[in-house]
Amino acid sequence: MPATIELSGLEVHLGGRKILHGLNATLDSRAIGLLGPNGAGKSTLILTLLGFHRPSGGTARVLGLDIQAQSGSLRPLVGYMPENDAFIARMSGIRFVRYFGEISGLPAAVALERAHQTFVWIGLGEARYRALGTYSQGMKQLAKLAQAIVHGPRLLILDEPTNGLDPAGRKRLVGLIREIRDTTDAHLLISSHLLHDVEETCDEVLILREGRVAGTCNLAEERRANRQILELELAGAGRGPAGSEPPSADAEFRATLETLGCACAASGRGRWKVTLPAGLGVREVYRAASELGVLIERLSHRRDSLEDIFMNAMDQAR
């Protein structure tokens, strides 16, 4: 089976500027998260995959199809929920969704039947004949989801799907996305600035920074690994001027932890984040500190999160 999305040296220039810089990645999970700060190139990548921007170099394949050479075959297989609203205010919801079903290749009668079914499924059956201009923000987001899925796409691209929603609306929409992921054959690409939404719905993430790949991560494997994170503060934190070398015992302590398989990152003088490998407990950390005469003043314990993965990728991409 082909990968969901393959990026091969993908470059895009817009307005004389290079926006995407030679992206390389193979993403093959059912639900892929697209992350990055504002201006990272997320929207440009989505619009390129959809065929709205022509690559300046390299290429990409979606569901095994080249986005340039096989764009005609690819379009009916993709559903797109844009970030920004693009409604005709006086058009009814059912007509709007039926219309997008037709332009995605469905016969008129089938598109109308699917539109009714989709409105009932998203919970807006009673509002389907109302004008879109009378919809609340939450209803508009659901209508955008409906038009993206009415034709049964193999890849569903969602750009900021919970944008502008209150907590109840966000929970409802995230639940629908998870149901699509778990009960259909569709693959999903979800771009969101809300890390919690991506963590709840995705199995894999692609992180962009300044138009470059800052990192990829298989969240399913991370969850299975269930890595433990320790945040340590050693006694005497802050001793010595900024930029000075840490005391030799501290440096030896870090070296010992790394020998045990830990990943250590300084977060300030005397403050470390330590990722424990599978099978290593907190007791071994205390034992190593005791043997070297290092006093751990504070220790907090938690599991790795998507926020940690994202921030590490941002740091490494600088």
Side-chain angles (χ1 to χ4, degrees):
M1 291 292 290
T4 307
I5 297 172
E6 296 176 83
L7 308 177
S8 302
L10 182 66
E11 295 187 355
V12 174
H13 291 75
L14 297 175
R17 290 194 309 121
K18 184 183 287 189
I19 307 299
L20 299 182
H21 300 255
L23 304 187
N24 290 290
T26 299
L27 307 162
D28 198 25
S29 297
R30 285 292 305 282
I32 300 160
L34 179 58
L35 300 175
N38 292 337
K42 303 187 298 298
S43 294
T44 300
L45 175 58
I46 287 174
L47 294 176
T48 302
L49 296 178
L50 290 168
F52 293 111
H53 298 321
R54 188 174 183 84
S56 308
T59 189
R61 300 181 76 85
V62 174
L63 303 172
L65 300 176
D66 188 281
I67 61 171
Q68 298 183 81
Q70 298 169 291
S71 59
S73 300
L74 180 60
R75 286 193 191 103
L77 304 180
V78 179
Y80 173 48
M81 178 181 174
E83 176 182 4
N84 298 318
D85 293 346
F87 297 117
I88 300 173
R90 295 183 180 180
M91 182 181 283
S92 69
I94 196 70
R95 186 180 173 193
F96 172 73
V97 175
R98 183 199 70 185
Y99 172 70
F100 275 91
E102 289 185 43
I103 65 174
S104 296
L106 296 179
V110 175
L112 180 59
E113 181 181 1
R114 291 272 193 90
H116 282 290
Q117 293 171 345
T118 304
F119 260 96
V120 171
W121 180 75
I122 64 174
L124 290 184
E126 295 183 0
R128 58 189 142 170
Y129 297 109
R130 282 175 47 186
L132 291 164
T134 69
Y135 281 17
S136 67
Q137 181 62 34
M139 294 168 70
K140 288 178 179 178
Q141 291 298 100
L142 291 171
K144 286 196 292 185
L145 176 63
Q147 64 79 25
I149 63 175
V150 64
H151 61 294
R154 287 183 54 199
L155 175 65
L156 178 59
I157 300 177
L158 308 175
D159 194 357
E160 300 290 350
T162 59
N163 188 34
L165 299 184
D166 59 24
R170 179 200 154 274
K171 182 177 180 181
R172 180 182 182 186
L173 191 49
V174 168
L176 290 174
I177 294 170
R178 294 179 67 173
E179 187 171 343
I180 293 170
R181 180 197 65 189
D182 295 339
T183 63
T184 74
D185 293 330
H187 293 249
L188 293 94
L189 175 64
I190 304 170
S191 176
S192 178
H193 68 281
L194 299 176
L195 298 182
H196 190 58
D197 285 359
V198 172
E199 198 158 25
E200 283 191 50
T201 55
C202 296
D203 307 309
E204 186 175 15
V205 294
L206 170 66
I207 303 172
L208 299 182
R209 178 184 168 88
E210 297 179 351
R212 296 176 172 82
V213 174
T216 60
C217 176
N218 189 310
L219 294 179
E221 292 180 359
E222 290 288 330
R223 293 179 188 119
R224 284 194 294 270
N226 202 23
R227 297 185 304 168
Q228 299 182 72
I229 307 296
L230 302 181
E231 292 181 342
L232 307 178
E233 182 174 330
L234 305 183
R239 53 195 160 175
S244 63
E245 291 296 318
S248 59
D250 293 5
E252 192 174 352
F253 177 49
R254 176 172 182 161
T256 300
L257 293 181
E258 291 175 344
T259 300
L260 293 172
C262 300
C264 303
S267 57
R269 285 173 293 171
R271 297 178 178 85
W272 296 353
K273 186 175 79 170
V274 179
T275 304
L276 303 184
L280 189 74
V282 178
R283 181 176 298 179
E284 283 77 6
V285 174
Y286 275 113
R287 180 180 294 118
S290 176
E291 291 174 353
L292 294 169
V294 172
L295 178 61
I296 298 175
E297 195 166 74
R298 292 187 181 86
L299 182 148
S300 61
H301 179 277
R302 60 185 175 84
R303 299 292 178 182
D304 207 355
S305 69
L306 181 54
E307 182 177 359
D308 296 307
I309 296 167
F310 178 78
M311 295 308 298
N312 286 339
M314 291 298 99
D315 290 340
Q316 293 171 12
R318 287 176 181 167

